[in-house]
Amino acid sequence: MAVAPNPTTPLDGARWSASCESSGRDGDEARAGLEFAASDGRIGGSAKEQLLEELVYGEWDEADEEEDEDWEPGSTLELRVRWFCVNCTMPNVEESTHCKLCSEHRYSGILNQGHLAPAFTQAGTEELAKDVKALKRLSVRRTAIGYDDRMLLHAEFQMKSNPHPERPDRLRSILAGFTAAGLYPGGCILIPAREITRVELETVHTHEHVEVVEATSSLESSYFTSDTYANGHSALAARLAAGVCADLASAILSGQVDNGFALVRPPGHHAEGATVMGFCLHNNACIAAKASQAAGAKKVLIVDWDVHHGNGTQEIFEHDPSVLYISLHRHEGGLFYPGSGAAHEVGSGPGEGFSINIPWPCSGIGDNDYIVAFQHIVLPIAKQFAPDITIVSAGFDAARGDPLGGCQVTPAGFAQMTQLLSTVSGGKLLVVLEGGYNLRSISASATAVLRVLCGEAPESLDDEELLPSEAGWATVLEVYAVQSRYWSALCLPAFMKFTSQHINGHLKASKRPKREKHPRVVARPIWWTWGRKRLVYKHWFGTRL
């Protein structure tokens, strides 16, 4: 008996793929399996909704079906789960016009206008949203963008029960957001894409790994793992993505451009030296790091803010002290995909101390937690390391609204992190797209990051005091204790100052305004003036009545 996964619950990559496998059906069969008929006269509206909920989000009980075999309604109304939200991929019933999970309109214009498209109205019913101020702006920095339409050819050949979250529309929505914001193509330099060579790939991956990926070119459809697909164009898309990242890194190191944004897919940070996994074929950030070193960089910093730990990047550079890897990710004690990235994982051999993991213990982590971790862990260590270039594995699945991440980082939060990293390595900064599966969230977040790369000041955060959550604070303290053995920037005085600031901040936030004390009003017992207590009355209240 197949169970339809509940799309209102955020799923990580592993559970998402497991839900697809459990159905054991292709897209048409899955939709057909959700068909049902309800009597117009015998079942009321609320009962219909309840039945629909059970069929779409719950289990189908075959025993109930047998009991109803002798029931013949006079008329039937057929409802199907027929459309999937373009923004978050949630299945919705035919009669609805807005997504149940994210409220995006069924015919949203997000692929044409990105995050600037109206969320609740049909495309074409509103004027084209444009950032007029941005259209008149000239970038104060030489910012390059790497992109190629052929990366859109990498797509799941046959849909399972739901559209795959790592889909071509991710790039379309981001590019539409760049265009509507006036940042692309006029505000940036477009770097032409090229296919990476096998020699360059094998500086990061094994020969066997490269051969396995290339072999998919002759197959219409294939799967490396239950959630990592390929079609006949996937190897080409992966070569283009890696080539874009390598060329952008070289251009930044040589001074041709100041910084860059690699708008690429398939993503890469889960791909290990010999393993394809987690939607990732080749490790783009690692290839960019190797290209940077070939262009003259002696030390490379990789900061990974994707909500999932970059197990591939850590594994590839685990023994290499010339590459410092810092990852901020949801971990939950190893229960969140891919399970690696605990604070005590610090690298090994010559690379011990050059892997820094900031593992969030729960969902709901937001801007303040990330910024505090940047201020007290990431930046002090990064500046002590003094890299020649900084590469960001920029997954936007920690963004608010992402169906897999479950965190609360806003576009302003990503912009602030970008601004902080631009103070490292002389501003030589390469942002490489990784995950992110809510189209509106990734379009807004990527655009906010690109604005900072182009020289705009980031939007200020709502909470000026930047008080982290208790879970975020505990994580920063844990990492501080582990990494202070390797980095003198995390010295005891700085640690005590941070702890004092946090405690004072929370004490200040917890204070409540004191109620104004009013003098106690005591009713004057006038009758005392008539008897023996008149002297007491005179002493307490005076002679006036």
Side-chain angles (χ1 to χ4, degrees), residues 278-298:
F279 311 164
C280 302
L281 305 190
H282 298 318
N283 197 309
N284 302 316
C286 291
I287 290 167
K290 288 292 187 180
S292 300
Q293 292 177 330
K298 291 182 172 58

Side-chain angles (χ1 to χ4, degrees), residues 235-255:
L236 170 63
R239 291 196 303 272
L240 289 168
V244 162
C245 294
D247 287 353
L248 278 173
S250 300
I252 293 170
L253 255 298
S254 66

Side-chain angles (χ1 to χ4, degrees), residues 237-388:
R239 291 196 303 272
L240 289 168
V244 162
C245 294
D247 287 353
L248 278 173
S250 300
I252 293 170
L253 255 298
S254 66
Q256 297 177 36
V257 296
D258 296 323
N259 52 47
F261 193 114
L263 185 56
V264 296
R265 60 180 294 273
H269 73 148
H270 290 309
E272 298 179 348
T275 307
V276 174
M277 62 180 291
F279 311 164
C280 302
L281 305 190
H282 298 318
N283 197 309
N284 302 316
C286 291
I287 290 167
K290 288 292 187 180
S292 300
Q293 292 177 330
K298 291 182 172 58
K299 292 187 288 186
V300 178
L301 168 64
I302 301 177
V303 176
D304 188 339
W305 68 45
D306 189 284
V307 78
H308 302 96
H309 178 242
N311 58 291
T313 307
Q314 178 172 294
E315 184 260 351
I316 289 169
F317 290 123
E318 185 173 13
H319 305 281
D320 190 346
S322 68
V323 178
L324 173 62
Y325 177 63
I326 304 178
S327 177
L328 306 92
H329 52 272
R330 186 173 163 188
H331 187 248
E332 297 187 6
L335 297 178
F336 195 74
Y337 185 87
S340 56
H344 62 78
E345 297 177 24
V346 297
S348 58
E352 183 175 353
F354 291 90
S355 291
I356 298 169
N357 288 298
I358 303 175
W360 307 124
C362 59
S363 61
I365 299 298
D367 291 344
N368 289 4
D369 300 297
Y370 276 82
I371 300 303
V372 166
F374 262 66
Q375 291 176 338
H376 297 281
I377 300 291
V378 177
L379 288 184
I381 293 177
K383 290 181 178 180
Q384 181 179 344
F385 180 67
D388 298 303

